[in-house]
Amino acid sequence: MTTSFQNVIADRHKYARQWKARTGGKVIGYFCTWLPEEIVYAAGILPVRILGSHEPQEMAERHISSMYCPLCRDCLAQGLSGKYDYLDGIIGPFSCLHIRQTFASWKTHVPLEYSYYLYVPTIGHHAAAKPFWVKQLTKFKASLEEWTKKPITDDDLDKSINVYNTNRRYLRQIYDLRKDDFPPVSGAECMEMVVSSQLADKAEHNVWLKSAYHEFSTKKERKDPGIRLMILGSENDDTEFVRLIESLGATVVIDDHCTGSRYFWNYVMPKEDRLSAIASRYLNRPACPAKDITQERRRFKHIPKLAKDFRAQGAILIQQKFCDPHEFDIPPIKEILMKELGIPSLHIEMDIVWPLGAYQTRLESFLEMLQPALV
Amino acid sequence: MTITKYQTKPLQCWQKAKELRLNYFKSVMNAKRDGKLLAMVDSGSFLELPAGLGDDYIPFEGHPYGASVGGDPEFSQKCVEATEAKGFARDMCAYTRNFWGSMFLNEYLYGGEFPKGEFAIWRSACESEGKFYQLVAEHMGIPGYALDFPLLPGQEKDEDVIEYVVDQLGACIKWMEKVTGRKYDDEKLLKAANNHFESTRIWAEICMLNQTIPAPLDQKTIYTLYFPSVALRHMPETLAFYKEVLAEVKDRVANKIAALPIEQCRLWDDGIPPWYFLGLYRYLEQYGAVVLGSQYTYALHGAWEDYPDGSWGPARLPQERGMRMKTREDILRAIALWYEEKPMIRAMALPEIKSRQLLRIVQDWHADGVMMHSNRGCPGLSFGQVENYLALQKSGIPTIIYEGNAADKRELSEAQVLDRIDGLMEQMGIRKLVGL
């Protein structure tokens, strides 16, 4: 079953093209997981997250400063080179300036039928945020309706919410299996499930997840996980990197990534006002550092809780080079993990491509350092 | 080629500008001794908001302080290294690293220990701004309040945004009353807001006068003059000062008193300057190149407005637009609108907005070329800069980008910057003035 997830990731463009041919529907690209996909999906549109290609490029720097993060430059380069030429439109949900510039430059230089910039409040739990954002979502929904020339009914939204919540439920159930002393599923396999979920039609993905859950939960042969690790930080869709970690005598048992748990952790709780229900879900989801600017520091409570619940023994902090919000959070998180839970961490800075040998050496040193502490 | 030589003379208000700046930093330093209410407020934030707590309110603003530290390379190096020693990245905002380092070292640039405020307020126009004061409040162990300030790309004013900001400002006032135990006075807020509105409007009027040939002011001078519009825009002293500056600059225009004796070419500047290397403006004088200003100096807090007829200029005051200023909500609404209209803020929504602004500025201020500072660690002001560069080039406007850092000297090569400037001058056919 894991091959379905891998195939979607490897052949994401082929998958989207085939979906389009099969359904006659529109495909939209989006840059960040703050997009309330339920509304897009309810309009009969397939939302596809634009992720890194991890291939060297030299097109983006003609439009974006080279001190903007590698992800935003990698994404733009793919747009400019025509890799996403099947997209009917793009949506830029506001997360950070880097991604906003990718959206803006893409919109300017790549011909598209539709584009929409959706503001997402920075302080989701402020009392004023929800009424404001519900109004923004109402405008967004109207814009999609105008484009598709089809109303999005409450029934459409209910069905969409149901599909998305089912996806989240399966992913959480599979993640929970990792709490076991001998987890039946690896970190790389989990990342593949989440990343493919951001690329595939969720209804189809749910069928694969159901089967995967059955397969993993009944798995008899389970190996010693070695050192239990948490990975957290910037956007990271590089499953090869996780495979590398797990080939060195460790298992990634939990993450705090937007290509991992942050994407699906909480549900839309049904309400009469569907947009209000959707807004609540996104405004209260686990935050990334760009959406965690108050003194409350929601991340600093959520991350240690995850580490504790999944019994992580070490943490790898991944940061896209030049990603300011994560640069602000990484030193205090390192301190909290060590002081509160005695969890040492390793900080790794990612670029569009990364030096396998150098990272392997650093990872090996980190894992060796952890061994005596665990005896 | 005939070269015109203009009369030039120092500004009479120069000393006053220096005094305002120094007195401000000293007032921050002595706030505790003098029993004043010191609040940590980021300069982009709603500076006037705590004014309703009392006349003794003094804001300690991170960005002007970080810039001032940047102007002292030796102390700045100590500060950025102190921040980096805590594990923070070298490519983060240098204003933040200077401020934090000074705070971690407990050393204030103007002497003594690092001043500690009673509470902190910050907003989120860029990610660095949102995170900067979060740590300041934590380090100082003081209560903090974050505000969300949406940037929407539409050209039309969004009433939902105004309402959202007003709601947050109202909640922030209640929070400040709670954490300080003081009763909030709306009359004091109104006075501070009116000072802000009028002084930043006058600042825009002053900047408009630099459309004149010869330019009465140059960027190096403007850096000193614009400071009150950033750090003290809510104060009556600032309003009085800008009235004086306006009168003096009008007089310079009427009498053709120029910033530079020879004006061979006029340049527009983009971004924050390298504060430790303002000598680059002196270097440009060797070419008779007058730098007219930048959006950073004109519009960081200068108040501009797009008029209904398609032209633009200094913003009309809320009262002139028929806005009521009776209740707290009225005042907060006027404040929210004033911030929402700031061109610097709007430019951070989409690159094409700033490109349009730049093309209009180049035309209206009769600029011959543009130089852009790609400021490492400042994603806010680097936003769209490469697209802006392309837009200017496409319109045939000679433009260069030089890389550097506003407040971390380690990140800039002076020789490389001057080489770039030489290249721009060559592209424009301007030679150094020799023997004139």
Side-chain angles (χ1 to χ4, degrees), chain A residues 195-251:
Chain A
V195 171
S196 58
S197 157
Q198 299 177 352
L199 303 168
D201 184 324
K202 291 278 198 293
E204 190 176 7
H205 198 262
N206 286 345
V207 176
W208 303 338
L209 282 180
K210 187 179 178 184
S211 169
Y213 175 67
H214 178 73
E215 187 184 306
F216 289 125
S217 60
T218 55
K219 194 174 175 183
K220 297 278 184 259
E221 281 177 33
R222 299 185 181 195
K223 61 170 191 157
D224 184 340
I227 296 167
R228 300 173 70 90
L229 293 177
M230 178 178 196
I231 52 170
L232 63 148
S234 304
E235 189 275 351
N236 172 29
D237 54 62
D238 204 329
T239 50
E240 284 311 305
F241 179 71
V242 183
R243 278 191 206 293
L244 171 66
I245 298 171
E246 294 187 322
S247 72
L248 301 173
T251 299

Side-chain angles (χ1 to χ4, degrees), chain B residues 3-28:
Chain B
I3 291 181
T4 312
K5 218 166 175 177
Y6 300 108
Q7 186 191 349
T8 183
K9 66 175 184 183
L11 278 169
Q12 287 167 5
C13 60
W14 179 257
Q15 194 53 34
K16 183 83 172 278
K18 296 284 233 189
E19 279 168 18
L20 274 172
R21 185 173 176 278
L22 191 61
N23 288 343
Y24 161 68
F25 283 119
K26 281 186 176 168
S27 73
V28 170

Side-chain angles (χ1 to χ4, degrees), chain B residues 44-49 123 147-151 157-170 189 193 196-197 318 321 323 325 328-342 345-346:
Chain B
S45 199
F46 302 91
L47 196 59
E48 53 282 298
L49 205 62
R123 68 161 190 185
L147 295 148
D148 183 21
F149 193 82
L151 296 174
K157 290 174 192 72
D158 191 320
E159 185 52 35
D160 295 343
V161 171
I162 303 296
E163 197 182 314
Y164 177 44
V165 174
V166 168
D167 284 351
Q168 291 181 74
L169 296 178
L189 172 68
H196 171 197
F197 299 149
R321 304 183 200 195
M323 292 177 74
M325 297 287 271
R328 177 182 293 178
E329 194 181 331
D330 293 340
I331 306 165
L332 295 180
R333 181 166 291 277
I335 291 172
L337 182 68
W338 204 254
Y339 279 91
E340 209 253 343
E341 278 184 353
K342 287 182 191 289
I345 293 293
R346 300 197 74 78

